Amino acid sequence: MKRSLLILTVFLFAISCNKKESKTASKSVYAFFGKKITEENTISKEILLEKYKSLKKGDTLAVKVSSKINEICQNKGCWMTLDLGSGKTAFVKFKDYGFFVPMNAQKRNTIIEGKAFVEETSVAELKHYAEDEGKSPKEIAAITEPKTEYKFLAHGVLISK
């Protein structure tokens, strides 16, 4: 009887330890850049894409969104593109050029907080960003028209480690 009770106690202890470990493992760990922000009250990339569709040039929307990073400036990490789903992206700059993000953070999960807006980007600026991204001279020369883009000015960024 004592042996059965001992086995049951060890079994229950092992199960309770496993549950605690799985809760800890599911918690994301982030590095922060710019203003310190939290994970709370984020919206999904799909919701942000719908909000972008209703914005006109000159409109801004204060928002905190969770998504993945597509591309990052390879010169110093001064901009990134954010996946919005459905083949769409948002071009993200950082408030007052006050911080940068790691240049190797592509495809990582991120949470950004700031202002979303729609803006037309000039040919010169598009070519500059293409250079930052490491595009070939042929790809850069193919840029001949300005582009209306979804943009984001972030004051705080969390990137999964």
Side-chain angles (χ1 to χ4, degrees):
M1 179 74 167
K2 286 183 181 180
R3 187 173 187 186
S4 296
L5 187 57
L6 179 62
I7 291 171
L8 179 63
T9 303
V10 170
F11 178 73
L12 290 174
F13 179 74
I15 290 174
S16 68
C17 287
N18 284 341
K19 287 182 181 177
K20 288 179 185 174
E21 288 176 21
S22 66
K23 284 182 183 176
T24 304
S26 67
K27 179 79 172 158
S28 295
V29 177
Y30 292 98
F32 78 91
F33 304 89
K35 180 181 172 186
K36 193 164 187 168
I37 61 173
T38 65
E39 298 175 66
E40 285 78 37
N41 303 317
T42 61
I43 62 171
S44 70
K45 64 184 181 180
E46 294 84 6
I47 292 173
L48 181 59
L49 180 57
E50 288 305 311
K51 290 181 181 288
Y52 267 123
K53 289 176 181 177
S54 68
L55 292 178
K56 296 174 187 74
K57 290 179 190 172
D59 292 345
T60 60
L61 176 67
V63 68
K64 187 189 309 183
V65 64
S66 174
S67 188
K68 279 198 186 274
I69 299 169
N70 280 349
E71 300 164 325
I72 296 178
C73 171
Q74 292 302 295
N75 282 338
K76 54 183 150 178
C78 58
W79 58 260
M80 66 184 182
T81 59
L82 188 68
D83 178 35
L84 297 176
S86 302
K88 302 288 186 185
T89 60
F91 186 84
V92 181
K93 285 186 173 180
F94 310 113
K95 187 172 182 185
D96 298 328
Y97 208 61
F99 61 96
F100 306 117
V101 296
M103 294 180 290
N104 64 347
Q106 293 94 333
K107 308 305 177 205
R108 289 192 194 167
N109 291 323
T110 187
I111 296 172
I112 62 173
E113 184 173 1
K115 295 200 184 291
F117 56 99
V118 176
E119 183 177 80
E120 186 173 273
T121 307
S122 71
V123 172
E125 198 171 355
L126 289 169
K127 287 184 176 193
H128 172 77
Y129 295 138
E131 287 174 10
D132 283 352
E133 198 177 324
K135 299 245 179 180
S136 72
K138 184 178 180 180
E139 290 173 299
I140 294 168
I143 300 170
T144 59
E145 296 288 324
K147 183 178 177 185
T148 300
E149 296 182 294
Y150 299 139
K151 299 235 179 152
F152 201 101
L153 183 61
H155 60 255
V157 176
L158 297 174
I159 298 177
S160 64
K161 290 185 176 183

